[in-house]
Amino acid sequence: MKNYRLIVGFVEGDKEVIQEVNRKAVVTAVGILVLCVIIYWVAKLAIYLTTTLWEWISGLF
């Protein structure tokens, strides 16, 4: 019912519904951006740790 209300309100031009949908879209976009940044830094950390560990192990032999 909530989704139906949002769709009908958006199509009919209900300003409150449009604001709610736009607000949720912005929050979702920011969340996706933050998640992408976190994934980037975790991948970069994993590469750094793997490289450091490999160099340390190679140095033993």
Side-chain angles (χ1 to χ4, degrees), residues 11-28:
V11 169
E12 291 180 353
D14 186 352
K15 291 186 182 199
E16 290 180 22
V17 171
I18 292 172
Q19 283 181 335
E20 182 180 351
V21 170
N22 288 338
R23 186 176 340 106
K24 287 181 180 184
V26 168
V27 169
T28 301

Side-chain angles (χ1 to χ4, degrees), residues 1-3 5 7 10 12 15 17 19 22 25-27 29-32 39 41 46 50 52 54 57-61:
M1 286 304 285
K2 185 175 181 181
N3 288 337
R5 182 187 65 81
I7 292 170
F10 196 85
E12 291 180 353
K15 291 186 182 199
V17 171
Q19 283 181 335
N22 288 338
V26 168
V27 169
V30 169
I32 290 171
I39 290 170
W41 284 109
T50 304
T52 303
W54 179 256
I57 290 173
S58 298
L60 293 176
F61 301 105

Side-chain angles (χ1 to χ4, degrees), residues 37-49:
V37 169
I38 290 171
I39 290 170
Y40 169 79
W41 284 109
V42 168
K44 193 169 181 169
L45 177 64
I47 292 169
Y48 170 76
L49 291 176

